[in-house]
Amino acid sequence: MVRAIVTSDPIDDGADEEAVADPRAGAVVSFRGRVRDHDHGRGVRRLAYEGHPSAAEVLRRVAEEIAADPQVYAVAVAHRLGPLAVGDAALVAAVSTAHRGAAFTACARLVDEVKARLPVWKHQVFADGTEEWVNCP
């Protein structure tokens, strides 16, 4: 089972773990990437994520690659677009497997691949009024 969502709506905490529930799973590992109030020693006032039109398809492909591992039962991942406040969930991911080691490995790989491949760019506004685009080509 694969669930991959790119959305401008707030991400429902816990929905990712529910989506990967499986009676065979002895392990569910999840990750929540939240907006923090600092970046490289600078205070962050707000940020927004912009996504390429292909973002949803890229996210689905990444999730399907992780789900193709025979040890993985289910994968759920969501990335938020638009304006976010400090504390908001920007990226959530969950993976279920029979054993914890495989679940930790698969979830870490999922998050790393999403961060490396998803065409989403972050626009940060710092406390001093300066701005920065991150991961923008």
Side-chain angles (χ1 to χ4, degrees), residues 15-117:
D16 54 320
E17 290 185 12
E18 290 176 28
V20 300
D22 187 299
R24 301 170 295 166
V28 172
V29 170
S30 63
F31 169 83
R32 284 175 179 41
R34 298 198 180 273
V35 176
R36 62 185 178 266
D37 68 354
H38 64 93
D39 192 21
H40 299 290
R42 299 167 72 189
V44 172
R45 184 179 303 152
R46 66 182 181 274
L47 61 79
Y49 286 98
E50 299 289 331
H52 187 272
S54 67
E57 179 55 34
V58 171
L59 190 64
R60 174 157 287 288
R61 280 196 311 264
V62 170
E64 288 171 346
E65 288 172 18
I66 302 303
D69 181 331
Q71 295 183 79
V72 173
Y73 298 141
V75 173
V77 61
H79 200 294
R80 178 118 176 250
L81 299 179
L84 283 82
V86 170
D88 285 349
L91 169 64
V92 298
V95 175
S96 63
T97 66
H99 303 285
R100 71 179 178 275
F104 278 112
T105 299
C107 193
R109 184 170 165 237
L110 173 60
V111 171
D112 289 346
E113 289 296 317
V114 167
K115 296 295 282 180
R117 295 169 45 192

